[in-house]
Amino acid sequence: MIQSMTGYGSANGVSGSLELEIELKAVNNRYLDVSVRMPRRYLFAEESLKKRVGQLVHRGKVDIFINVDSGKDQDVEISLNEPLAEAYVKALHQLAYRFGLEDNTTAIQVAKMPDVLKVEQPETDNEAFARDLLTVLDEALESFNAMRRIEGEKLRQDITSRLDFIETLTAQVEKQSPQTVTAYRAKLEQRMTEILENTQIEESRILTEAAIFADRVAVDEEITRLRSHVSQLRDILDSSGAVGRKIDFLLQELGRETNTIGSKCQDLELGKIVIELKAEIEKIREQAQNIE
């Protein structure tokens, strides 16, 4: 089953006394680009997170947002650097005395001084934390990929319906092309009759000119290749994995064959059909930009 490159997923979990929350968001991108936003003290787990995402996601700009809440951590301690605090208080008293200022130093003022208070948290078991973080990431990836599969199925249905229309248009080209040659022969015969007036026209000459024209405007090969490309696209849409680039390549081939038909067509009706073909191919191309 094909997948969209856009998606969202989230999950919550715990690691010891820490509460973990992970969000995944992805948008279109030519290649896989994973960025992680998390508290600095846990950056040691960044590479393992990117590696895990890379195992399940092949294309897209993926942003991982990680929130670690230690609010329930009862082992957090705040220590006072008494010598430093005493030095600050002494300096503030001296400052007030030296410049004749009111000495209204408070505990809050001293506590705000650099390094007076130090928050101490228990050492983190890096391996255990990384393992727990990956477990939560796997849950987020599950919901993330579920959304991408749902979106991918919608894309598949839309593209499939457009391929049906392209096949209908191709059949119209195949039907209209011989009529173009017949009309050209009739027109050629009429013009030669007008030019030569009563002179007898050689049937072989008309047949030769019509054959040359028919060869010049023949689109049998292009039609065959168009149908082959459409068939391959259907097979790809029913497969799984990262198929976006394959689809893009086949769409280029579809466009090339359509342009060739357009350059050969000498008929107004064929010209209209070619324009419709190009429009449908472009619509598929826009949708395919979202496929992984």
Side-chain angles (χ1 to χ4, degrees), residues 227-247:
R227 286 177 170 151
S228 174
H229 297 329
V230 169
S231 177
Q232 290 179 69
L233 275 171
R234 289 187 186 280
D235 290 341
I236 290 175
L237 290 172
D238 290 332
S239 64
S240 58
V243 298
R245 293 179 186 173
K246 293 180 181 179
I247 292 175

Side-chain angles (χ1 to χ4, degrees), residues 225-288:
R225 286 193 289 267
L226 267 176
R227 286 177 170 151
S228 174
H229 297 329
V230 169
S231 177
Q232 290 179 69
L233 275 171
R234 289 187 186 280
D235 290 341
I236 290 175
L237 290 172
D238 290 332
S239 64
S240 58
V243 298
R245 293 179 186 173
K246 293 180 181 179
I247 292 175
D248 185 61
F249 171 76
L250 283 173
L251 288 174
Q252 292 180 31
E253 295 302 306
L254 277 175
R256 183 175 293 110
E257 301 303 335
T258 302
N259 286 333
T260 303
I261 293 174
S263 66
K264 287 184 174 183
C265 73
Q266 302 288 325
D267 181 82
L268 181 60
E269 290 303 316
L270 273 176
K272 292 179 180 179
I273 297 172
V274 168
I275 290 174
E276 287 192 80
L277 275 170
K278 289 182 177 181
E280 287 303 308
I281 292 171
E282 187 57 34
K283 289 174 183 176
I284 294 177
R285 192 189 308 280
E286 290 175 1
Q287 294 286 54

Side-chain angles (χ1 to χ4, degrees), residues 19 46 115 161 164 177 180 224 243:
E19 294 184 355
E46 181 177 1
D115 300 323
S161 67
D164 291 341
S177 183
T180 301
T224 299
V243 298

Side-chain angles (χ1 to χ4, degrees), residues 57-168:
V57 183
H58 305 287
R59 293 177 68 201
K61 174 70 172 64
V62 183
D63 291 314
I64 307 174
F65 302 92
I66 299 176
N67 181 49
V68 181
D69 185 1
S70 58
K72 294 184 179 180
D73 192 343
Q74 302 300 320
D75 296 326
V76 174
E77 294 183 0
I78 299 178
S79 61
L80 171 64
N81 188 334
E82 291 190 25
L84 184 61
E86 183 178 354
Y88 275 128
V89 171
K90 183 177 180 180
L92 290 172
H93 286 327
Q94 290 178 345
L95 180 67
Y97 177 78
R98 174 68 179 79
F99 295 100
L101 302 174
E102 183 179 356
D103 191 350
N104 57 356
T105 303
T106 65
I108 293 179
Q109 289 176 327
V110 177
K112 290 181 179 179
M113 297 299 179
D115 300 323
V116 171
L117 297 179
K118 183 179 180 181
V119 179
E120 297 180 345
Q121 294 179 319
E123 289 294 324
T124 301
D125 184 338
N126 291 354
E127 290 187 7
F129 178 82
R131 185 169 55 251
D132 294 336
L133 196 61
L134 287 175
T135 299
V136 181
L137 177 64
D138 287 340
E139 294 180 15
L141 280 168
E142 186 175 342
S143 63
F144 171 74
N145 284 328
M147 175 179 281
R148 295 201 304 146
R149 285 191 294 270
I150 292 173
E151 182 64 24
E153 176 58 20
K154 292 179 181 178
L155 291 171
R156 188 192 68 80
Q157 292 176 3
D158 181 78
I159 293 175
T160 298
S161 67
R162 297 190 184 282
L163 290 177
D164 291 341
F165 188 42
I166 286 177
E167 287 184 319
T168 300

Side-chain angles (χ1 to χ4, degrees), residues 4-30:
S4 169
M5 275 191 281
T6 60
Y8 173 84
S10 64
N12 296 280
V14 296
S15 179
S17 59
L18 302 176
E19 294 184 355
L20 309 176
E21 180 183 9
I22 297 181
E23 283 187 305
L24 292 171
K25 297 179 181 179
V27 295
N28 302 349
N29 198 53
R30 188 174 182 182

